[in-house]
Amino acid sequence: MQLKDKVAIVTGSSLGIGKAIAKAFGREGAKVTVDYRSHPNEAKEAVEEIEKSGGRAIAVQADVSKPEDIKKLVGKTVEEFGRLDIMVNNAGIEEKKPFLETPLETWEKVIAVNLTGVWLCCQEAAKQMVSQGGGGRIINVSSIHEEITMPTNAPYCAAKGGLKMLMRTIAVELAPYGITVNNIGPGAIETPINQNLKENPDQMKQLLEEIPLGRIGQPEDVASVAVFLASDAASYVTGSTYFVDGGMMRQSGSL
């Protein structure tokens, strides 16, 4: 088991990529806090699935855009498991609108969750890791759109671009404490957020033409990279983004 006796928080882990990461961590021996904002039943199911595989888990409701919720999230994890070794910032939202029609409130909402929320989680987790000693791992689920454009999604792309430089900067600052910081940049992954693709064959065909490996990624494809970055095998890895996109970045026409 690569994560035996480690303690992890995975934000937004009641569904999709976050849930796959939480389950993978549990299978590898980690104690996992499943964070959710608005899907309590799914969070409970995630906890049950982790425990069925022999792991330990709790569910905590926390909105990552609220500082008091992040303090609660980290506090309850430490209260339950005694420490915090791994912080995975996965929670995110997007609202697609043409740039000229995007209201300020949409910008503020997306930035609050996708960038400010990650800032808050990184800082609170790092404070705990520094105080307890022994280093730690911070892993942010970013996107290929920290590098390539996505018209009608400017706030999301701006947040992911900011996340790239946040990761790079705090990786340097936190290195003296033995804390590594890395991003995972998924491409097209089959999650509830893009279920509509299955109902639109033409759009799916267009998307697959952009992916050299010719398939949509699965949440488990991202989870396996997260396990690596959280493990001792990645102890000399920090300040980088690992793209999980089937080669999409090398061929994409800015979908």
Side-chain angles (χ1 to χ4, degrees):
M1 289 189 174
Q2 298 182 71
L3 305 178
K4 183 173 171 53
D5 298 327
K6 299 294 185 182
V7 176
I9 294 172
V10 184
T11 67
S13 52
S14 59
L15 298 169
I17 290 172
K19 182 178 180 180
I21 292 173
K23 289 170 62 177
F25 281 8
R27 288 193 299 271
E28 292 294 336
K31 304 176 182 71
V32 184
T33 294
V34 173
D35 160 70
Y36 69 98
R37 186 182 69 85
S38 55
H39 295 91
N41 292 334
E42 289 83 352
K44 181 181 177 182
E45 289 173 6
V47 168
E48 290 173 350
E49 289 179 38
I50 291 168
E51 291 179 339
K52 282 180 182 177
S53 69
R56 287 181 59 193
I58 60 171
V60 177
Q61 184 177 28
D63 181 336
V64 299
S65 68
K66 297 179 179 178
E68 62 274 18
D69 279 18
I70 300 310
K71 290 183 182 295
K72 178 186 74 172
L73 178 63
V74 173
K76 286 195 171 184
T77 299
V78 174
E79 180 183 341
E80 178 72 21
F81 299 127
R83 59 185 293 113
L84 175 62
D85 302 293
I86 305 158
M87 183 77 198
V88 179
N89 296 304
N90 167 77
I93 59 171
E94 60 178 305
E95 293 189 14
K96 294 182 180 179
K97 291 183 176 70
F99 172 64
L100 294 177
E101 300 170 16
T102 302
L104 177 60
E105 53 264 33
T106 295
W107 167 270
E108 291 177 334
K109 180 181 178 181
V110 172
I111 295 295
V113 174
N114 292 10
L115 186 55
T116 305
V118 177
W119 162 278
L120 292 169
C121 289
C122 287
Q123 190 174 64
E124 196 65 27
K127 287 179 179 178
Q128 174 61 35
M129 291 170 184
V130 169
S131 69
Q132 72 193 18
R137 302 278 189 270
I138 295 175
I139 303 165
N140 305 312
V141 178
S142 180
S143 169
I144 59 173
H145 298 294
E146 69 172 51
E147 291 286 354
I148 65 174
T149 64
M150 189 178 190
T152 74
N153 219 353
Y156 181 86
C157 292
K160 297 304 184 180
L163 182 54
K164 175 178 70 174
M165 288 310 299
L166 173 63
M167 172 273 293
R168 291 180 177 183
T169 303
I170 67 174
V172 175
E173 289 196 49
L174 296 177
Y177 302 101
I179 299 169
T180 66
V181 189
N182 293 285
N183 285 1
I184 301 175
I189 306 295
E190 187 174 344
T191 65
I193 202 171
N194 57 27
Q195 284 297 319
N196 61 314
L197 281 172
K198 290 185 175 180
E199 301 164 10
N200 192 327
D202 291 339
Q203 196 173 28
M204 175 66 84
K205 181 176 181 292
Q206 182 186 6
L207 175 61
L208 291 176
E209 287 173 352
E210 300 282 338
I211 304 171
L213 288 183
R215 69 173 177 88
I216 298 291
Q218 297 300 310
E220 291 74 20
D221 293 320
V222 182
S224 62
V225 177
V227 169
F228 163 69
L229 290 173
S231 73
D232 290 342
S235 63
Y236 199 55
V237 173
T238 196
S240 295
T241 297
Y242 289 76
F243 292 106
V244 183
D245 68 346
M248 187 176 180
M249 284 185 62
R250 301 294 168 251
Q251 188 164 288
S252 177
S254 295
L255 277 177

